[in-house]
Amino acid sequence: MSRSARVVPAVPSALLALALTACGGVHGTPGGSGVHDPYFPKSGNGGYDVSHYDLKLDYTPGDKPRLTGIATLTARATKDLSAFDLDLEGLDVDEVTVEGKRARFNRAGQELTVRPHDDLDEDETFRVTVRYSGTPKTITDPDGSKEGWLRTADGALALGEPTGSMAWFPGNNHPSDKASYDIAVTVPKGLQAVSNGELTGETSSGDRTTFSWHTAKPMASYVATVAVGHYRISRSTVGKDRLPVYVAVDPAQVKASRKVLAKIPEIMDWEETNFGPYPFSSTGAIVDRPEDAEYALETQTRPVFPGAPDTGTLVHELAHQWYGNSVTPKTWRDMWLNEGFATYAEWLWDEDHDGDSCRQTFEALYDHGEDDYPDLWSFPPGKPSGAAHISDDPVYVRGAMVLHKIRQKVGDDTFYDIIQGWAAAHRHGNADTADFTAFVEKKAPDKDFGGIWKDWLYGDGKPDEA
Ligand code: TRP
Ligand code: ZN
């Protein structure tokens, strides 16, 4: 039988549902092609929850790079399912099995619709395996930035915020569904493959080497990463618990980044003091060349930097391990909970290290922030003005200003209680803006935050008073 003969026709899942209910004996319905994210409606899928991704990738860089993958997802059906979607952009799907049996599948845009041989029951745990191959794509975001699979001079770099992970593996590509990961990457001998978590194996066979990485704690797909290339690796530990540090630096960046990367232990220690216990079982960094990516990203346990970062950027990406990676937004509307916190972490670092106080930073921004951030007042952090704007200045800078307003109102003791308590309350989970405002109100029941929420978090334009 040819491959295409097994492929179900490209019908929207609603029609598929009608067709399937019409044939009798079938109790499930399709899971749905999104999770109603207000900014990225196609991201994620309904009807199941992934607990683990096992990714076996083989990559050969070059003019026509080739990725071959076997992705096995362990998931639980959250309803009776006749079909479910995975997100996958580009690449060719060669075979899909569910519970070891061949499944029909169909592709339309980023939706890979899988129709298992047998319906899945609500609460059933199942395994779906997707075999795929091809040249992975770079995705252009609504704001014009590039993510997904980026080719570098000597390999590749996978960046996934907000949607790019679907360029290199099929999954439930939405921050609301976090999972553990095993990522094994096979590359030509002489190259390295770096990913999230801990390196559990490095084995060579013939002219290829496989690097196996394990992430035990829940991870959102947008902070999964793979970096392939030549890297100078340094391994060490930090703190009395000897947390492993794994740092991979492009040889061309070693000199420029040595000094700043040496600050990782000090920054980790300072962040634990201020934010509470570090949520993951290793840390580190990946430094590629400036031209390899357009921005840094807080990839879990191992943030990626295009060129040597400055101290503020390193503080920022490591702060995201608490705020973003451990406490993860429920939707892309809640981005300010990531970026406002990580930006405020930079302000706090400066304050604690002979720089401007947070108050000075806040006041300068209120007085003339438009000079550096022309769009600062263009929309409120709690309600970005569209998918193209989720990483604009109001999310970062005005988001940090919201936190400073809270600090002004409650004082330092309660403020540090709030930021640590927030990281503890939703450790390894998901939270949204309403969860945050309720949390703050509970921590300071005698205070009225109404004005802060109304003017600073949700209000249009520049608030009348600092
Ligand atoms: N999260 C990254 C940072 O702050 C920046 C970023 C990259 C981003 N891509 C994004 C933010 C997409 C929002 C959306 O370091
Ligand atoms: Zn950030």
Side-chain angles (χ1 to χ4, degrees):
M1 186 165 54
S2 78
R3 183 175 306 148
S4 57
R6 295 200 327 272
V7 174
V8 298
V11 288
S13 24
L15 286 184
L16 204 61
L18 283 177
L20 290 171
T21 20
C23 29
V26 174
H27 61 277
T29 53
S33 61
V35 291
H36 308 291
D37 187 276
Y39 294 76
F40 293 88
K42 290 186 211 148
S43 289
N45 305 286
Y48 66 94
D49 196 277
V50 181
S51 57
H52 186 71
Y53 289 85
D54 181 79
L55 307 178
K56 295 203 180 343
L57 309 175
D58 185 296
Y59 187 65
T60 305
D63 289 343
K64 203 166 178 318
R66 189 173 165 83
L67 177 72
T68 306
I70 306 174
T72 299
L73 284 59
T74 307
R76 184 180 59 84
T78 54
K79 64 196 252 329
D80 293 342
L81 286 173
S82 59
F84 59 88
D85 280 14
L86 299 170
D87 298 301
L88 182 67
E89 181 72 42
L91 299 166
D92 298 315
V93 173
D94 303 313
E95 185 189 68
V96 180
T97 63
V98 176
E99 290 296 275
K101 288 188 192 167
R102 278 199 171 189
R104 294 186 182 194
F105 62 90
N106 155 57
R107 301 190 69 186
Q110 73 178 61
E111 303 300 325
L112 165 63
T113 301
V114 176
R115 189 142 69 91
H117 183 273
D118 304 310
D119 276 18
L120 298 163
D121 296 328
E122 180 173 349
D123 260 341
E124 180 179 346
T125 295
F126 63 97
R127 289 220 264 180
V128 50
T129 298
V130 181
R131 290 170 186 273
Y132 58 101
S133 56
T135 299
K137 279 191 181 178
T138 297
I139 291 174
T140 302
D141 290 333
D143 69 0
S145 60
K146 301 258 189 273
E147 53 149 351
W149 194 267
L150 311 176
R151 283 185 221 173
T152 61
D154 57 354
L157 179 62
L159 294 181
E161 188 173 26
T163 67
S165 81
M166 64 186 173
W168 56 285
F169 66 92
N172 197 17
N173 189 20
H174 192 266
S176 57
D177 189 3
K178 303 204 286 186
S180 56
Y181 283 69
D182 281 296
I183 302 177
V185 192
T186 302
V187 294
K189 219 176 202 166
L191 292 182
Q192 243 107 21
V194 183
S195 184
N196 312 93
E198 294 89 60
L199 183 65
T200 57
E202 181 182 332
T203 57
S204 287
S205 162
D207 57 357
R208 303 187 79 75
T209 311
T210 301
F211 296 84
S212 302
W213 292 89
H214 177 65
T215 292
K217 296 288 190 237
M219 176 162 80
S221 54
Y222 78 93
V223 281
T225 191
V226 166
V228 174
H230 295 288
Y231 294 101
R232 205 67 61 75
I233 308 292
S234 50
R235 306 177 76 150
S236 56
T237 65
V238 295
K240 59 176 179 355
D241 298 334
R242 304 185 68 75
L243 182 78
V245 185
Y246 187 103
V247 176
V249 184
D250 186 294
Q253 299 300 313
V254 168
K255 197 156 168 269
S257 54
R258 184 173 290 128
K259 227 172 127 185
V260 66
L261 294 174
K263 295 184 185 176
I264 289 176
E266 183 192 353
I267 295 170
M268 290 289 298
D269 182 58
W270 177 85
E271 294 195 342
E272 284 207 288
T273 305
N274 289 289
F275 309 150
Y278 180 67
F280 304 116
S281 40
S282 62
T283 185
I286 298 169
V287 181
D288 250 313
R289 300 185 197 187
E291 64 271 24
D292 289 338
E294 295 168 355
Y295 46 78
L297 188 65
E298 63 266 29
T299 41
Q300 192 151 305
T301 65
R302 202 144 293 118
V304 165
F305 302 95
D310 56 23
T311 305
T313 305
L314 186 56
V315 167
H316 179 113
E317 304 308 339
L318 290 173
H320 273 309
Q321 307 305 315
W322 284 258
Y323 306 108
N325 299 2
S326 170
V327 183
T328 304
K330 281 183 187 163
T331 78
W332 291 111
R333 182 168 48 211
D334 306 306
M335 266 307 280
W336 81 277
L337 290 173
N338 286 11
E339 303 305 344
F341 270 87
T343 302
Y344 202 73
E346 294 179 61
W347 299 9
L348 282 169
W349 174 271
D350 283 345
E351 176 172 274
D352 286 356
H353 296 84
D354 305 318
D356 288 349
S357 67
C358 292
R359 181 175 160 195
Q360 286 170 319
T361 304
F362 175 90
E363 285 175 356
L365 285 164
Y366 187 80
D367 290 343
H368 50 83
E370 313 78 25
D371 298 353
D372 288 332
Y373 307 101
D375 300 329
L376 182 57
W377 308 113
S378 63
F379 62 82
K383 216 166 157 287
S385 58
H389 300 286
I390 61 165
S391 53
D392 285 3
D393 296 334
V395 172
Y396 284 71
V397 180
R398 192 168 157 186
M401 294 178 90
V402 170
L403 294 176
H404 192 75
K405 290 298 294 179
I406 295 168
R407 182 173 171 193
Q408 256 182 11
K409 169 122 358 218
V410 301
D412 279 5
D413 284 356
T414 306
F415 180 72
Y416 281 98
D417 264 8
I418 287 173
I419 61 175
Q420 284 181 19
W422 176 246
H426 297 281
R427 191 174 165 95
H428 301 309
N430 291 88
D432 64 15
T433 305
D435 294 325
F436 180 71
T437 53
F439 184 84
V440 171
E441 286 166 4
K442 209 174 76 193
K443 285 280 180 182
D446 55 325
K447 298 277 195 278
D448 178 7
F449 296 93
I452 300 181
W453 307 152
K454 182 169 148 297
D455 298 336
W456 284 90
L457 184 53
Y458 292 117
D460 287 324
K462 180 175 174 175
D464 291 337
E465 269 174 64

PDB file of all heavy atoms in Angstrom, residues 35-46:
ATOM      1  N   VAL A  35      -6.145  25.089  21.834  1.00  0.00           N
ATOM      2  CA  VAL A  35      -6.636  25.180  23.216  1.00  0.00           C
ATOM      3  C   VAL A  35      -7.165  26.583  23.505  1.00  0.00           C
ATOM      4  O   VAL A  35      -7.134  27.053  24.626  1.00  0.00           O
ATOM      5  CB  VAL A  35      -5.565  24.768  24.256  1.00  0.00           C
ATOM      6  CG1 VAL A  35      -5.294  23.278  24.172  1.00  0.00           C
ATOM      7  CG2 VAL A  35      -4.269  25.550  24.089  1.00  0.00           C
ATOM      8  N   HIS A  36      -7.618  27.247  22.432  1.00  0.00           N
ATOM      9  CA  HIS A  36      -8.242  28.569  22.564  1.00  0.00           C
ATOM     10  C   HIS A  36      -7.301  29.606  23.140  1.00  0.00           C
ATOM     11  O   HIS A  36      -7.719  30.471  23.909  1.00  0.00           O
ATOM     12  CB  HIS A  36      -9.524  28.486  23.411  1.00  0.00           C
ATOM     13  CG  HIS A  36     -10.471  27.443  22.927  1.00  0.00           C
ATOM     14  ND1 HIS A  36     -11.155  27.553  21.731  1.00  0.00           N
ATOM     15  CD2 HIS A  36     -10.827  26.243  23.446  1.00  0.00           C
ATOM     16  CE1 HIS A  36     -11.885  26.473  21.555  1.00  0.00           C
ATOM     17  NE2 HIS A  36     -11.707  25.651  22.573  1.00  0.00           N
ATOM     18  N   ASP A  37      -6.032  29.526  22.789  1.00  0.00           N
ATOM     19  CA  ASP A  37      -5.145  30.598  23.227  1.00  0.00           C
ATOM     20  C   ASP A  37      -5.595  31.891  22.554  1.00  0.00           C
ATOM     21  O   ASP A  37      -5.830  31.920  21.342  1.00  0.00           O
ATOM     22  CB  ASP A  37      -3.692  30.294  22.839  1.00  0.00           C
ATOM     23  CG  ASP A  37      -2.741  31.310  23.447  1.00  0.00           C
ATOM     24  OD1 ASP A  37      -2.561  32.399  22.860  1.00  0.00           O
ATOM     25  OD2 ASP A  37      -2.185  31.018  24.528  1.00  0.00           O
ATOM     26  N   PRO A  38      -5.713  32.984  23.333  1.00  0.00           N
ATOM     27  CA  PRO A  38      -6.221  34.221  22.740  1.00  0.00           C
ATOM     28  C   PRO A  38      -5.313  34.802  21.649  1.00  0.00           C
ATOM     29  O   PRO A  38      -5.768  35.579  20.823  1.00  0.00           O
ATOM     30  CB  PRO A  38      -6.333  35.181  23.926  1.00  0.00           C
ATOM     31  CG  PRO A  38      -5.576  34.561  25.043  1.00  0.00           C
ATOM     32  CD  PRO A  38      -5.501  33.086  24.786  1.00  0.00           C
ATOM     33  N   TYR A  39      -4.029  34.424  21.653  1.00  0.00           N
ATOM     34  CA  TYR A  39      -3.102  34.997  20.673  1.00  0.00           C
ATOM     35  C   TYR A  39      -2.653  33.994  19.613  1.00  0.00           C
ATOM     36  O   TYR A  39      -2.339  34.379  18.490  1.00  0.00           O
ATOM     37  CB  TYR A  39      -1.891  35.610  21.393  1.00  0.00           C
ATOM     38  CG  TYR A  39      -2.307  36.802  22.227  1.00  0.00           C
ATOM     39  CD1 TYR A  39      -2.955  36.633  23.450  1.00  0.00           C
ATOM     40  CD2 TYR A  39      -2.134  38.093  21.749  1.00  0.00           C
ATOM     41  CE1 TYR A  39      -3.387  37.716  24.188  1.00  0.00           C
ATOM     42  CE2 TYR A  39      -2.553  39.185  22.476  1.00  0.00           C
ATOM     43  CZ  TYR A  39      -3.187  38.994  23.692  1.00  0.00           C
ATOM     44  OH  TYR A  39      -3.616  40.071  24.415  1.00  0.00           O
ATOM     45  N   PHE A  40      -2.592  32.719  20.003  1.00  0.00           N
ATOM     46  CA  PHE A  40      -2.166  31.670  19.066  1.00  0.00           C
ATOM     47  C   PHE A  40      -3.181  30.527  19.089  1.00  0.00           C
ATOM     48  O   PHE A  40      -2.948  29.476  19.689  1.00  0.00           O
ATOM     49  CB  PHE A  40      -0.750  31.181  19.425  1.00  0.00           C
ATOM     50  CG  PHE A  40       0.297  32.244  19.202  1.00  0.00           C
ATOM     51  CD1 PHE A  40       0.603  33.159  20.208  1.00  0.00           C
ATOM     52  CD2 PHE A  40       0.924  32.374  17.970  1.00  0.00           C
ATOM     53  CE1 PHE A  40       1.532  34.171  19.999  1.00  0.00           C
ATOM     54  CE2 PHE A  40       1.864  33.374  17.751  1.00  0.00           C
ATOM     55  CZ  PHE A  40       2.164  34.278  18.764  1.00  0.00           C
ATOM     56  N   PRO A  41      -4.332  30.761  18.405  1.00  0.00           N
ATOM     57  CA  PRO A  41      -5.451  29.803  18.525  1.00  0.00           C
ATOM     58  C   PRO A  41      -5.151  28.397  18.022  1.00  0.00           C
ATOM     59  O   PRO A  41      -5.782  27.444  18.456  1.00  0.00           O
ATOM     60  CB  PRO A  41      -6.569  30.456  17.698  1.00  0.00           C
ATOM     61  CG  PRO A  41      -5.910  31.519  16.876  1.00  0.00           C
ATOM     62  CD  PRO A  41      -4.672  31.935  17.598  1.00  0.00           C
ATOM     63  N   LYS A  42      -4.171  28.255  17.135  1.00  0.00           N
ATOM     64  CA  LYS A  42      -3.872  26.902  16.627  1.00  0.00           C
ATOM     65  C   LYS A  42      -2.879  26.158  17.518  1.00  0.00           C
ATOM     66  O   LYS A  42      -2.635  24.967  17.316  1.00  0.00           O
ATOM     67  CB  LYS A  42      -3.282  26.992  15.215  1.00  0.00           C
ATOM     68  CG  LYS A  42      -4.288  27.420  14.163  1.00  0.00           C
ATOM     69  CD  LYS A  42      -3.636  27.320  12.789  1.00  0.00           C
ATOM     70  CE  LYS A  42      -4.195  28.353  11.848  1.00  0.00           C
ATOM     71  NZ  LYS A  42      -3.201  28.801  10.870  1.00  0.00           N
ATOM     72  N   SER A  43      -2.262  26.871  18.448  1.00  0.00           N
ATOM     73  CA  SER A  43      -1.243  26.229  19.283  1.00  0.00           C
ATOM     74  C   SER A  43      -1.878  25.287  20.290  1.00  0.00           C
ATOM     75  O   SER A  43      -2.889  25.605  20.898  1.00  0.00           O
ATOM     76  CB  SER A  43      -0.444  27.285  20.037  1.00  0.00           C
ATOM     77  OG  SER A  43       0.379  27.965  19.130  1.00  0.00           O
ATOM     78  N   GLY A  44      -1.256  24.151  20.468  1.00  0.00           N
ATOM     79  CA  GLY A  44      -1.780  23.155  21.380  1.00  0.00           C
ATOM     80  C   GLY A  44      -2.986  22.461  20.763  1.00  0.00           C
ATOM     81  O   GLY A  44      -3.414  22.786  19.646  1.00  0.00           O
ATOM     82  N   ASN A  45      -3.482  21.483  21.476  1.00  0.00           N
ATOM     83  CA  ASN A  45      -4.589  20.681  20.959  1.00  0.00           C
ATOM     84  C   ASN A  45      -5.442  20.229  22.129  1.00  0.00           C
ATOM     85  O   ASN A  45      -4.960  20.104  23.247  1.00  0.00           O
ATOM     86  CB  ASN A  45      -4.042  19.452  20.229  1.00  0.00           C
ATOM     87  CG  ASN A  45      -3.055  19.854  19.149  1.00  0.00           C
ATOM     88  OD1 ASN A  45      -3.439  20.362  18.103  1.00  0.00           O
ATOM     89  ND2 ASN A  45      -1.772  19.692  19.430  1.00  0.00           N
ATOM     90  N   GLY A  46      -6.698  19.947  21.825  1.00  0.00           N
ATOM     91  CA  GLY A  46      -7.599  19.520  22.888  1.00  0.00           C
ATOM     92  C   GLY A  46      -7.623  18.008  23.035  1.00  0.00           C
ATOM     93  O   GLY A  46      -7.192  17.269  22.157  1.00  0.00           O
TER      94      GLY A  46
END
